Amino acid sequence: TVRVDGRPSGHAPLAAHAVSAGEHRLTFECDFLDRSAEERVRFVADGTVRIRVTCNTSPVRVVVVGP
């Protein structure tokens, strides 16, 4: 499950998920492994960000690529 600012946004992979510009708290829940990770990401207007989450590492690995 992917959450944006605590609200469920769906299950990965999410494609073209729009969020407003500014800082947001992203939570990635790897339910099948009972693990999760949280990351604060700053989004810019009309920008594109790619986020890769690896659940089978301890801790869960989150990589953010973009502006």
Side-chain angles (χ1 to χ4, degrees), residues 3-63:
R3 297 179 184 274
V4 178
D5 298 325
R7 293 183 305 276
S9 294
H11 296 282
L14 294 177
H17 187 77
V19 297
S20 60
E23 186 173 283
H24 294 277
R25 179 174 43 98
L26 306 180
T27 306
F28 306 95
E29 299 170 346
C30 306
D31 299 327
F32 58 96
L33 292 172
D34 196 30
R35 295 180 183 167
S36 65
E38 187 173 292
E39 189 78 23
R40 291 199 175 274
V41 178
R42 179 167 299 278
F43 294 91
V44 298
D46 298 322
T48 300
V49 173
R50 185 176 199 95
I51 301 170
R52 179 174 296 218
V53 179
T54 305
C55 290
N56 62 352
T57 60
S58 186
V60 174
R61 183 171 170 226
V62 179
V63 177

